[in-house]
Each structure stands twice: as structure tokens, then as C-alpha cells.
Amino acid sequence: MQGFLTTQEAAEKLGVTAGRVRQMIVDGQLPATKLGRDNIIKEADLGLVENRKVGRPPKDKDSSKGKQPRAQKTKRRQRI
């Protein structure tokens, strides 16, 4: 079919794994149509996720606020 891609083809164009493409479909970030057991994606729809942020979000600098300090470890007794 002209203008449609499989999940593997979409993954190659986006530079990610096919599993990541399937997760974007499940999350609603990438529209797809189920065809049998496979998903097909309009090639034009790849533009919706091309400029996405990659990787994990950064940790908050204030995430340590409100946490209790760790308790000191006790020394182990030595065997004689």
C-alpha cells in the first residue's frame, strides 16, 4: 500500500525500535490502523512524533526536599 508503513518501517524512519513505535501507538501519540494482526501507519503521520523529546525526563532539583536523612550504618562486630 502506497503511503502506509509497517511498525518496523516506521521505526527505521524514526530511528527507534518497533516496540517503541507500538508503545507510541498505544499511548495515542502516533495514529495507526489495525490491519489483521499488524498496525499500519500513514507516512504523513510520522511528522507528529519526529520532533518529540527523547529519553527520560530530568529529575527535579527539589526532589530531595522533605526527605529524611539516611540513618548511619552500624559497624559490624569483628569475629575473633
Side-chain angles (χ1 to χ4, degrees), residues 15-39:
V16 296
T17 64
R20 181 67 187 121
V21 171
R22 285 189 293 273
Q23 189 61 49
M24 285 190 271
I25 293 167
V26 169
D27 292 344
Q29 297 172 339
L30 184 62
T33 303
K34 193 82 166 167
L35 184 65
R37 66 182 188 103
D38 298 322
N39 289 306

Side-chain angles (χ1 to χ4, degrees), residues 15-72:
V16 296
T17 64
R20 181 67 187 121
V21 171
R22 285 189 293 273
Q23 189 61 49
M24 285 190 271
I25 293 167
V26 169
D27 292 344
Q29 297 172 339
L30 184 62
T33 303
K34 193 82 166 167
L35 184 65
R37 66 182 188 103
D38 298 322
N39 289 306
I40 57 169
I41 301 146
K42 289 182 185 175
E43 194 165 1
D45 287 341
L46 293 183
L48 297 171
V49 293
E50 279 181 335
N51 297 324
R52 72 200 178 285
K53 291 182 180 179
V54 295
R56 293 184 179 185
K59 290 185 178 181
D60 291 338
K61 291 182 180 179
D62 298 331
S63 65
S64 62
K65 288 183 179 179
K67 289 186 178 180
Q68 298 293 326
R70 289 187 175 188
Q72 293 287 329

